[in-house]
Amino acid sequence: MKIAIVLYPGFTALDAVGPYETLNALPGWDTVFVAEHAGPVTNDQGHLTFTAQAGFDEVKDADVLVVPGGPPAAIDAQTRNPNFLMWLQQVDAATTFTTSVCMGSVLLAAAGLLKGRRATSHWLGLHQGRLDGYGVTPVDDERVVTDGKYVTAAGVSAGIDMGLTLAGRLAGDDFAQIVQLMIEYAPEPPYSTGSPHTAPASLVDAMRTQGFPHS
C-alpha cells in the first residue's frame, strides 16, 4: 500500500509533514514524496528543502494521495501547470483516499476533482474565486471535511487532524490513538486566535487585506 505526498516549489512544509508524521507509521504502508521531477524542492519560505524521491513519470498510482498547500503564488503556478493537474487526475483515478491540507484543496479543485463536493481549505482560500470558483461548496467551520473518498483539511496545522482521521479509517481507532499519543498531540495554544471565528476582528480584517505573509 502506498501513500504519495506531492511536492512543488513553494509548498508549505507543515502541510506535508503533519500528514507524513501521522500516516507514515501505518503498518504495511510505504510513503513516497513525489514532484514533477525527482530531487530537491524548496518550501514557501525558501529556507527548507525536501527531497522528492520520485518524479511524476515514476509514480502513476497510489492508495492515498496527499496534496499540501502553499501561498497563492505557489498555488496559482500549479493551477497553470498542465503536467501537475494531469498527474493529480491520473493518480486520483485509483486512490482509496485523495486528501489535501490548507490550499492544497484548491489544486484538487483546479484538477476538477472536487466539483459539486464539500471541501475546506485555509480560511483565506475558501472564497473570492479560489475554492468556490471551481464549483466546490466551501466549508468554513470544520477542520476536516470528508466527502466520499475526498478528505480535505483546513489551514496548515489541520493536516495533523486529517492524518489522524485517516489513520483511524485505515487502521482502526486504537491505532490512530496510539499515533496521537506517540506524537503527544494535545494542543493547548497560548492564544485563541487559531480561527477567524475566535480571533479579534481587527486581526482577521488585517489578514484579509494583507493576505498571506509569503504571497
Side-chain angles (χ1 to χ4, degrees), residues 1-5 19-20 22-31 62-66 94-99 146 148-151 161-177 179:
M1 307 293 276
K2 181 165 57 182
I3 300 166
I5 303 176
Y20 171 79
T22 47
L23 293 174
N24 190 54
L26 286 169
W29 288 69
D30 295 317
T31 303
D63 299 284
V64 174
L65 171 63
V66 179
T95 59
T96 301
F97 291 104
T98 294
T99 76
T146 301
K149 73 170 186 174
Y150 298 95
V151 185
D161 300 64
M162 186 277 288
L164 289 171
T165 298
L166 210 56
R169 295 186 67 175
L170 292 169
D173 292 337
D174 285 350
F175 180 83
Q177 290 178 77
V179 172

Tab-separated table of all heavy atoms in Angstrom, residues 1-5 19-20 22-31 62-66 94-99 146 148-151 161-177 179:
chain	number	residue	atom	x	y	z
A	1	MET	N	0.850	-1.179	0.000
A	1	MET	CA	0.000	0.000	0.000
A	1	MET	C	0.891	1.237	0.000
A	1	MET	O	1.909	1.271	0.689
A	1	MET	CB	-0.911	-0.001	1.226
A	1	MET	CG	-1.707	-1.290	1.394
A	1	MET	SD	-2.919	-1.539	0.089
A	1	MET	CE	-4.270	-0.576	0.722
A	2	LYS	N	0.469	2.263	-0.741
A	2	LYS	CA	1.363	3.398	-0.964
A	2	LYS	C	0.675	4.721	-0.680
A	2	LYS	O	-0.453	4.958	-1.094
A	2	LYS	CB	1.866	3.366	-2.412
A	2	LYS	CG	2.836	4.476	-2.771
A	2	LYS	CD	3.554	4.175	-4.077
A	2	LYS	CE	2.605	3.956	-5.239
A	2	LYS	NZ	3.302	3.622	-6.488
A	3	ILE	N	1.412	5.591	0.020
A	3	ILE	CA	0.991	6.969	0.248
A	3	ILE	C	1.911	7.860	-0.569
A	3	ILE	O	3.141	7.777	-0.442
A	3	ILE	CB	1.100	7.346	1.728
A	3	ILE	CG1	0.203	6.441	2.584
A	3	ILE	CG2	0.729	8.819	1.946
A	3	ILE	CD1	0.499	6.527	4.073
A	4	ALA	N	1.353	8.711	-1.406
A	4	ALA	CA	2.132	9.647	-2.203
A	4	ALA	C	1.845	11.061	-1.714
A	4	ALA	O	0.691	11.501	-1.705
A	4	ALA	CB	1.790	9.520	-3.683
A	5	ILE	N	2.895	11.763	-1.287
A	5	ILE	CA	2.785	13.163	-0.886
A	5	ILE	C	3.462	13.986	-1.965
A	5	ILE	O	4.666	13.838	-2.205
A	5	ILE	CB	3.450	13.406	0.482
A	5	ILE	CG1	2.829	12.494	1.549
A	5	ILE	CG2	3.325	14.878	0.881
A	5	ILE	CD1	3.499	12.596	2.913
A	19	PRO	N	0.705	15.307	7.846
A	19	PRO	CA	0.215	14.010	7.375
A	19	PRO	C	1.300	12.926	7.359
A	19	PRO	O	1.022	11.767	7.660
A	19	PRO	CB	-0.282	14.310	5.956
A	19	PRO	CG	-0.616	15.759	5.983
A	19	PRO	CD	0.415	16.381	6.886
A	20	TYR	N	2.533	13.317	7.023
A	20	TYR	CA	3.619	12.334	6.999
A	20	TYR	C	3.815	11.705	8.379
A	20	TYR	O	3.904	10.479	8.523
A	20	TYR	CB	4.915	12.992	6.535
A	20	TYR	CG	6.121	12.102	6.676
A	20	TYR	CD1	6.388	11.103	5.737
A	20	TYR	CD2	6.990	12.221	7.755
A	20	TYR	CE1	7.483	10.260	5.874
A	20	TYR	CE2	8.085	11.396	7.902
A	20	TYR	CZ	8.327	10.412	6.966
A	20	TYR	OH	9.403	9.583	7.116
A	22	THR	N	1.764	11.408	10.828
A	22	THR	CA	0.618	10.648	11.328
A	22	THR	C	0.299	9.425	10.481
A	22	THR	O	-0.312	8.476	10.976
A	22	THR	CB	-0.624	11.549	11.413
A	22	THR	OG1	-0.763	12.289	10.194
A	22	THR	CG2	-0.494	12.536	12.566
A	23	LEU	N	0.703	9.427	9.228
A	23	LEU	CA	0.364	8.317	8.336
A	23	LEU	C	1.533	7.374	8.070
A	23	LEU	O	1.324	6.212	7.723
A	23	LEU	CB	-0.144	8.854	6.995
A	23	LEU	CG	-1.481	9.591	7.027
A	23	LEU	CD1	-1.787	10.188	5.655
A	23	LEU	CD2	-2.604	8.656	7.459
A	24	ASN	N	2.753	7.859	8.241
A	24	ASN	CA	3.910	7.037	7.885
A	24	ASN	C	4.051	5.809	8.771
A	24	ASN	O	4.713	4.845	8.393
A	24	ASN	CB	5.192	7.878	7.947
A	24	ASN	CG	6.383	7.170	7.356
A	24	ASN	OD1	6.350	6.714	6.216
A	24	ASN	ND2	7.449	7.062	8.125
A	25	ALA	N	3.419	5.855	9.944
A	25	ALA	CA	3.515	4.708	10.864
A	25	ALA	C	2.541	3.589	10.529
A	25	ALA	O	2.574	2.527	11.166
A	25	ALA	CB	3.275	5.184	12.295
A	26	LEU	N	1.674	3.775	9.543
A	26	LEU	CA	0.705	2.735	9.190
A	26	LEU	C	1.424	1.431	8.839
A	26	LEU	O	2.292	1.422	7.959
A	26	LEU	CB	-0.156	3.187	8.015
A	26	LEU	CG	-1.232	4.237	8.308
A	26	LEU	CD1	-1.800	4.780	6.997
A	26	LEU	CD2	-2.348	3.639	9.157
A	27	PRO	N	1.089	0.338	9.472
A	27	PRO	CA	1.780	-0.925	9.192
A	27	PRO	C	1.516	-1.409	7.772
A	27	PRO	O	0.375	-1.445	7.316
A	27	PRO	CB	1.187	-1.888	10.223
A	27	PRO	CG	-0.124	-1.282	10.617
A	27	PRO	CD	0.039	0.197	10.504
A	28	GLY	N	2.603	-1.759	7.082
A	28	GLY	CA	2.473	-2.285	5.730
A	28	GLY	C	2.332	-1.223	4.656
A	28	GLY	O	2.093	-1.553	3.489
A	29	TRP	N	2.482	0.046	5.031
A	29	TRP	CA	2.354	1.133	4.067
A	29	TRP	C	3.712	1.770	3.811
A	29	TRP	O	4.550	1.863	4.704
A	29	TRP	CB	1.392	2.199	4.580
A	29	TRP	CG	-0.048	1.777	4.570
A	29	TRP	CD1	-0.630	0.826	5.364
A	29	TRP	CD2	-1.088	2.285	3.745
A	29	TRP	NE1	-1.965	0.709	5.075
A	29	TRP	CE2	-2.274	1.598	4.090
A	29	TRP	CE3	-1.139	3.264	2.748
A	29	TRP	CZ2	-3.492	1.847	3.470
A	29	TRP	CZ3	-2.340	3.532	2.136
A	29	TRP	CH2	-3.507	2.829	2.487
A	30	ASP	N	3.927	2.221	2.577
A	30	ASP	CA	5.136	2.956	2.205
A	30	ASP	C	4.747	4.371	1.808
A	30	ASP	O	3.724	4.587	1.147
A	30	ASP	CB	5.855	2.282	1.031
A	30	ASP	CG	6.390	0.916	1.394
A	30	ASP	OD1	6.956	0.781	2.499
A	30	ASP	OD2	6.236	-0.011	0.587
A	31	THR	N	5.565	5.337	2.201
A	31	THR	CA	5.328	6.735	1.859
A	31	THR	C	6.399	7.214	0.895
A	31	THR	O	7.590	6.963	1.108
A	31	THR	CB	5.343	7.620	3.122
A	31	THR	OG1	4.361	7.148	4.046
A	31	THR	CG2	5.048	9.067	2.766
A	62	ALA	N	-1.441	5.496	-6.475
A	62	ALA	CA	-1.221	5.449	-5.034
A	62	ALA	C	-2.544	5.112	-4.377
A	62	ALA	O	-3.619	5.342	-4.944
A	62	ALA	CB	-0.691	6.784	-4.512
A	63	ASP	N	-2.456	4.554	-3.186
A	63	ASP	CA	-3.671	4.264	-2.427
A	63	ASP	C	-4.181	5.521	-1.719
A	63	ASP	O	-5.380	5.730	-1.588
A	63	ASP	CB	-3.403	3.153	-1.419
A	63	ASP	CG	-2.980	1.865	-2.116
A	63	ASP	OD1	-3.856	1.182	-2.674
A	63	ASP	OD2	-1.772	1.575	-2.115
A	64	VAL	N	-3.241	6.337	-1.251
A	64	VAL	CA	-3.578	7.613	-0.625
A	64	VAL	C	-2.723	8.702	-1.261
A	64	VAL	O	-1.500	8.570	-1.355
A	64	VAL	CB	-3.337	7.582	0.902
A	64	VAL	CG1	-3.547	8.973	1.514
A	64	VAL	CG2	-4.261	6.577	1.574
A	65	LEU	N	-3.377	9.765	-1.677
A	65	LEU	CA	-2.686	10.923	-2.251
A	65	LEU	C	-2.852	12.089	-1.290
A	65	LEU	O	-3.964	12.377	-0.837
A	65	LEU	CB	-3.289	11.279	-3.613
A	65	LEU	CG	-2.834	12.596	-4.252
A	65	LEU	CD1	-1.337	12.581	-4.543
A	65	LEU	CD2	-3.636	12.857	-5.527
A	66	VAL	N	-1.748	12.755	-0.959
A	66	VAL	CA	-1.770	13.926	-0.079
A	66	VAL	C	-1.237	15.125	-0.848
A	66	VAL	O	-0.123	15.081	-1.386
A	66	VAL	CB	-0.912	13.703	1.189
A	66	VAL	CG1	-0.942	14.958	2.074
A	66	VAL	CG2	-1.391	12.485	1.972
A	94	ALA	N	-7.245	5.942	-9.097
A	94	ALA	CA	-7.150	4.645	-8.418
A	94	ALA	C	-6.989	4.759	-6.903
A	94	ALA	O	-6.761	3.749	-6.236
A	94	ALA	CB	-5.983	3.843	-9.000
A	95	THR	N	-7.102	5.964	-6.354
A	95	THR	CA	-6.881	6.113	-4.914
A	95	THR	C	-8.043	5.565	-4.098
A	95	THR	O	-9.190	5.544	-4.541
A	95	THR	CB	-6.678	7.591	-4.522
A	95	THR	OG1	-7.835	8.343	-4.917
A	95	THR	CG2	-5.431	8.169	-5.137
A	96	THR	N	-7.721	5.178	-2.881
A	96	THR	CA	-8.746	4.902	-1.876
A	96	THR	C	-9.176	6.208	-1.222
A	96	THR	O	-10.356	6.436	-0.970
A	96	THR	CB	-8.215	3.936	-0.807
A	96	THR	OG1	-7.808	2.716	-1.441
A	96	THR	CG2	-9.284	3.624	0.234
A	97	PHE	N	-8.180	7.087	-0.964
A	97	PHE	CA	-8.443	8.417	-0.438
A	97	PHE	C	-7.560	9.438	-1.165
A	97	PHE	O	-6.359	9.200	-1.339
A	97	PHE	CB	-8.164	8.503	1.065
A	97	PHE	CG	-9.134	7.724	1.912
A	97	PHE	CD1	-8.756	6.515	2.477
A	97	PHE	CD2	-10.411	8.199	2.142
A	97	PHE	CE1	-9.648	5.794	3.258
A	97	PHE	CE2	-11.309	7.474	2.919
A	97	PHE	CZ	-10.929	6.274	3.476
A	98	THR	N	-8.171	10.530	-1.546
A	98	THR	CA	-7.440	11.677	-2.088
A	98	THR	C	-7.618	12.807	-1.090
A	98	THR	O	-8.749	13.171	-0.752
A	98	THR	CB	-7.977	12.077	-3.467
A	98	THR	OG1	-7.703	11.021	-4.407
A	98	THR	CG2	-7.318	13.359	-3.955
A	99	THR	N	-6.502	13.355	-0.608
A	99	THR	CA	-6.573	14.293	0.504
A	99	THR	C	-5.784	15.569	0.210
A	99	THR	O	-4.920	15.605	-0.670
A	99	THR	CB	-6.024	13.658	1.792
A	99	THR	OG1	-4.591	13.616	1.737
A	99	THR	CG2	-6.564	12.250	1.989
A	146	THR	N	-14.929	15.363	5.034
A	146	THR	CA	-14.911	14.158	4.217
A	146	THR	C	-16.123	14.149	3.297
A	146	THR	O	-17.248	14.331	3.755
A	146	THR	CB	-14.928	12.889	5.089
A	146	THR	OG1	-13.780	12.892	5.949
A	146	THR	CG2	-14.896	11.634	4.232
A	148	GLY	N	-17.147	11.516	0.346
A	148	GLY	CA	-16.725	10.331	-0.408
A	148	GLY	C	-15.295	9.978	-0.051
A	148	GLY	O	-14.934	9.899	1.120
A	149	LYS	N	-14.458	9.799	-1.056
A	149	LYS	CA	-13.062	9.449	-0.800
A	149	LYS	C	-12.179	10.681	-0.643
A	149	LYS	O	-10.963	10.564	-0.448
A	149	LYS	CB	-12.514	8.550	-1.909
A	149	LYS	CG	-12.256	9.257	-3.236
A	149	LYS	CD	-11.493	8.329	-4.181
A	149	LYS	CE	-11.084	9.038	-5.467
A	149	LYS	NZ	-10.226	8.192	-6.319
A	150	TYR	N	-12.777	11.868	-0.721
A	150	TYR	CA	-12.004	13.108	-0.644
A	150	TYR	C	-12.029	13.654	0.779
A	150	TYR	O	-13.093	13.883	1.360
A	150	TYR	CB	-12.558	14.131	-1.641
A	150	TYR	CG	-12.434	13.638	-3.057
A	150	TYR	CD1	-13.494	12.990	-3.683
A	150	TYR	CD2	-11.234	13.740	-3.757
A	150	TYR	CE1	-13.376	12.485	-4.972
A	150	TYR	CE2	-11.094	13.243	-5.038
A	150	TYR	CZ	-12.166	12.612	-5.638
A	150	TYR	OH	-12.040	12.101	-6.913
A	151	VAL	N	-10.835	13.843	1.331
A	151	VAL	CA	-10.688	14.317	2.707
A	151	VAL	C	-9.829	15.569	2.663
A	151	VAL	O	-8.645	15.514	2.303
A	151	VAL	CB	-10.044	13.254	3.608
A	151	VAL	CG1	-10.028	13.731	5.057
A	151	VAL	CG2	-10.778	11.917	3.493
A	161	ASP	N	-4.718	16.727	12.113
A	161	ASP	CA	-6.056	16.173	12.364
A	161	ASP	C	-6.495	15.275	11.212
A	161	ASP	O	-7.083	14.207	11.423
A	161	ASP	CB	-7.067	17.305	12.537
A	161	ASP	CG	-6.732	18.222	13.699
A	161	ASP	OD1	-5.680	18.882	13.630
A	161	ASP	OD2	-7.519	18.286	14.658
A	162	MET	N	-6.221	15.729	9.996
A	162	MET	CA	-6.592	14.934	8.823
A	162	MET	C	-5.845	13.598	8.819
A	162	MET	O	-6.418	12.542	8.568
A	162	MET	CB	-6.302	15.709	7.534
A	162	MET	CG	-6.784	15.038	6.260
A	162	MET	SD	-5.632	13.793	5.608
A	162	MET	CE	-4.335	14.868	4.997
A	163	GLY	N	-4.556	13.636	9.119
A	163	GLY	CA	-3.770	12.411	9.144
A	163	GLY	C	-4.267	11.435	10.188
A	163	GLY	O	-4.358	10.229	9.935
A	164	LEU	N	-4.610	11.938	11.369
A	164	LEU	CA	-5.133	11.068	12.419
A	164	LEU	C	-6.498	10.504	12.037
A	164	LEU	O	-6.788	9.328	12.284
A	164	LEU	CB	-5.239	11.839	13.736
A	164	LEU	CG	-3.910	12.172	14.418
A	164	LEU	CD1	-4.132	13.124	15.587
A	164	LEU	CD2	-3.203	10.909	14.894
A	165	THR	N	-7.336	11.339	11.428
A	165	THR	CA	-8.646	10.870	10.968
A	165	THR	C	-8.483	9.732	9.971
A	165	THR	O	-9.163	8.700	10.055
A	165	THR	CB	-9.422	12.029	10.299
A	165	THR	OG1	-9.634	13.062	11.266
A	165	THR	CG2	-10.765	11.549	9.762
A	166	LEU	N	-7.561	9.904	9.032
A	166	LEU	CA	-7.337	8.896	8.008
A	166	LEU	C	-6.707	7.639	8.602
A	166	LEU	O	-7.065	6.518	8.223
A	166	LEU	CB	-6.440	9.473	6.910
A	166	LEU	CG	-6.636	8.925	5.503
A	166	LEU	CD1	-8.071	9.086	5.059
A	166	LEU	CD2	-5.688	9.620	4.537
A	167	ALA	N	-5.788	7.819	9.547
A	167	ALA	CA	-5.176	6.656	10.207
A	167	ALA	C	-6.242	5.815	10.897
A	167	ALA	O	-6.191	4.580	10.869
A	167	ALA	CB	-4.127	7.121	11.212
A	168	GLY	N	-7.223	6.487	11.500
A	168	GLY	CA	-8.308	5.757	12.144
A	168	GLY	C	-9.138	4.969	11.164
A	168	GLY	O	-9.550	3.837	11.440
A	169	ARG	N	-9.377	5.537	9.996
A	169	ARG	CA	-10.186	4.849	8.999
A	169	ARG	C	-9.424	3.704	8.344
A	169	ARG	O	-10.020	2.702	7.945
A	169	ARG	CB	-10.650	5.852	7.928
A	169	ARG	CG	-11.588	6.926	8.487
A	169	ARG	CD	-12.158	7.817	7.421
A	169	ARG	NE	-13.073	7.086	6.528
A	169	ARG	CZ	-13.774	7.665	5.565
A	169	ARG	NH1	-13.670	8.975	5.363
A	169	ARG	NH2	-14.571	6.952	4.797
A	170	LEU	N	-8.117	3.833	8.236
A	170	LEU	CA	-7.320	2.808	7.552
A	170	LEU	C	-6.840	1.695	8.478
A	170	LEU	O	-6.673	0.557	8.048
A	170	LEU	CB	-6.109	3.467	6.873
A	170	LEU	CG	-6.424	4.394	5.698
A	170	LEU	CD1	-5.180	5.181	5.295
A	170	LEU	CD2	-6.947	3.595	4.509
A	171	ALA	N	-6.599	2.034	9.751
A	171	ALA	CA	-6.012	1.042	10.659
A	171	ALA	C	-6.768	0.903	11.972
A	171	ALA	O	-6.335	0.140	12.840
A	171	ALA	CB	-4.552	1.395	10.938
A	172	GLY	N	-7.866	1.626	12.120
A	172	GLY	CA	-8.661	1.499	13.329
A	172	GLY	C	-8.386	2.606	14.338
A	172	GLY	O	-7.310	3.201	14.360
A	173	ASP	N	-9.384	2.867	15.165
A	173	ASP	CA	-9.290	3.955	16.133
A	173	ASP	C	-8.164	3.741	17.142
A	173	ASP	O	-7.480	4.698	17.538
A	173	ASP	CB	-10.613	4.110	16.883
A	173	ASP	CG	-11.740	4.615	15.993
A	173	ASP	OD1	-11.439	5.241	14.951
A	173	ASP	OD2	-12.913	4.391	16.340
A	174	ASP	N	-7.964	2.500	17.577
A	174	ASP	CA	-6.906	2.251	18.555
A	174	ASP	C	-5.550	2.653	17.999
A	174	ASP	O	-4.734	3.272	18.695
A	174	ASP	CB	-6.882	0.777	18.967
A	174	ASP	CG	-8.029	0.410	19.905
A	174	ASP	OD1	-8.719	1.337	20.380
A	174	ASP	OD2	-8.229	-0.794	20.135
A	175	PHE	N	-5.285	2.292	16.741
A	175	PHE	CA	-4.001	2.635	16.135
A	175	PHE	C	-3.842	4.146	16.031
A	175	PHE	O	-2.778	4.694	16.355
A	175	PHE	CB	-3.868	1.994	14.749
A	175	PHE	CG	-2.563	2.327	14.074
A	175	PHE	CD1	-1.419	1.607	14.374
A	175	PHE	CD2	-2.478	3.373	13.172
A	175	PHE	CE1	-0.211	1.920	13.783
A	175	PHE	CE2	-1.273	3.700	12.567
A	175	PHE	CZ	-0.138	2.968	12.874
A	176	ALA	N	-4.886	4.823	15.580
A	176	ALA	CA	-4.809	6.281	15.439
A	176	ALA	C	-4.562	6.946	16.785
A	176	ALA	O	-3.807	7.929	16.887
A	176	ALA	CB	-6.089	6.811	14.803
A	177	GLN	N	-5.177	6.407	17.836
A	177	GLN	CA	-4.968	6.979	19.167
A	177	GLN	C	-3.546	6.738	19.658
A	177	GLN	O	-2.968	7.585	20.350
A	177	GLN	CB	-5.990	6.391	20.138
A	177	GLN	CG	-7.402	6.880	19.857
A	177	GLN	CD	-8.423	6.267	20.790
A	177	GLN	OE1	-8.541	6.671	21.945
A	177	GLN	NE2	-9.156	5.265	20.304
A	179	VAL	N	-0.955	6.626	17.652
A	179	VAL	CA	-0.166	7.618	16.912
A	179	VAL	C	-0.292	8.985	17.582
A	179	VAL	O	0.708	9.701	17.765
A	179	VAL	CB	-0.621	7.695	15.437
A	179	VAL	CG1	0.067	8.858	14.734
A	179	VAL	CG2	-0.315	6.388	14.722
